[in-house]
Amino acid sequence: MIIQATSRLGYAAELVRTASLRQTPAASSANPADTVRISQTARDALAASAPSSATNDDGGVAARLAEIRTHGPVNRSAEDQAYLFANDKRLAEIAAQGKSPDALTADDLDYLQKATGLVNTMANLSPAEKALYDKAVASGNKEAAAGIGQIALTRMMGHTAGGANGTTYDPLNTVITAANIEKYFSHSIVDPSGKAAANFQALIQFLQDKPST
């Protein structure tokens, strides 16, 4: 299968990286509900419905969070979104960093995707690949990190994807190397803008420049 960058699926990678944190302001908000931009009406509803600290240990918060996550990010109300960011401790900590999604670590992105119901592409990366992603982010090479994200997205397609010259390969069992990107992964995303290809080339160069360990 080839991923069309102009299709709804092709935009999933960008959605995964931006849909949630772009709703959050800078990290210095005093009120946890302000980690998402919602109307005053929604905030009032949140204040009225949120359990008090005296009852936070009765399982009600966990049950409410689980129920909210079943709706997914598209159908989630502003009140539920606010409750999610206010009561999921790690999610609130991630949002409080005030970073854009492409500046987060792989583990933070992985948790963000799971906690908010976004497509969990980062789960398709091995610990070593997540470490590679973090190195790219730490070095400021967002294009190389995006290339790894594109590979993670390709792996959402399962065990069959399109490679060079009409061939197919198993993206889930193909490791990230410069050679495999050139032969396989770079042929699985069709992007007329050239952005995907540029990200793959940045990743290839990053891998070639990375000192062997």
Side-chain angles (χ1 to χ4, degrees):
M1 180 178 290
I2 304 294
I3 297 175
Q4 294 285 343
T6 54
S7 69
R8 187 175 180 181
L9 179 60
Y11 285 116
E14 188 67 17
L15 175 64
V16 164
R17 299 173 68 82
T18 62
S20 187
L21 288 192
R22 277 190 176 173
Q23 299 178 50
T24 64
S28 60
S29 173
N31 183 350
D34 288 338
T35 57
V36 267
R37 292 181 180 177
I38 60 175
S39 66
Q40 187 59 50
T41 300
R43 289 176 183 164
D44 291 343
L46 171 64
S49 61
S52 66
S53 58
T55 60
N56 276 352
D57 59 351
D58 65 2
V61 173
R64 173 85 187 274
L65 290 174
E67 191 274 335
I68 288 172
R69 291 187 178 112
T70 64
H71 297 311
V74 175
N75 298 318
R76 186 174 298 140
S77 69
E79 294 93 333
D80 284 349
Q81 183 81 332
Y83 191 94
L84 179 63
F85 274 84
N87 290 277
D88 184 309
K89 182 178 178 181
R90 185 173 176 190
L91 187 59
E93 290 173 348
I94 292 170
Q97 295 177 42
K99 295 180 179 179
S100 62
D102 56 8
L104 294 174
T105 66
D107 282 341
D108 279 352
L109 271 177
D110 189 16
Y111 188 84
L112 172 68
Q113 292 170 3
K114 291 174 182 176
T116 60
L118 293 168
V119 180
N120 189 202
T121 61
M122 300 305 286
N124 295 323
L125 299 178
S126 69
E129 290 168 344
K130 286 184 175 181
L132 180 67
Y133 181 94
D134 289 345
K135 287 181 180 178
V137 170
S139 70
N141 195 333
K142 294 182 178 181
E143 291 77 15
I148 299 173
Q150 289 169 180
I151 291 172
L153 173 65
T154 299
R155 289 173 175 171
M156 296 300 296
M157 300 301 97
H159 289 282
T160 304
N165 301 316
T167 61
T168 59
Y169 70 103
D170 182 350
L172 288 170
N173 291 307
T174 301
V175 298
I176 299 177
T177 65
N180 284 341
I181 293 168
E182 290 180 336
K183 185 176 181 180
Y184 298 117
F185 293 116
S186 63
H187 298 274
S188 297
I189 296 180
V190 177
D191 179 11
S193 75
K195 181 63 175 175
N199 290 338
F200 280 130
Q201 286 303 311
L203 178 56
I204 289 171
Q205 190 64 52
F206 182 73
L207 290 167
Q208 292 174 340
D209 293 344
K210 184 170 65 72
S212 59
T213 57

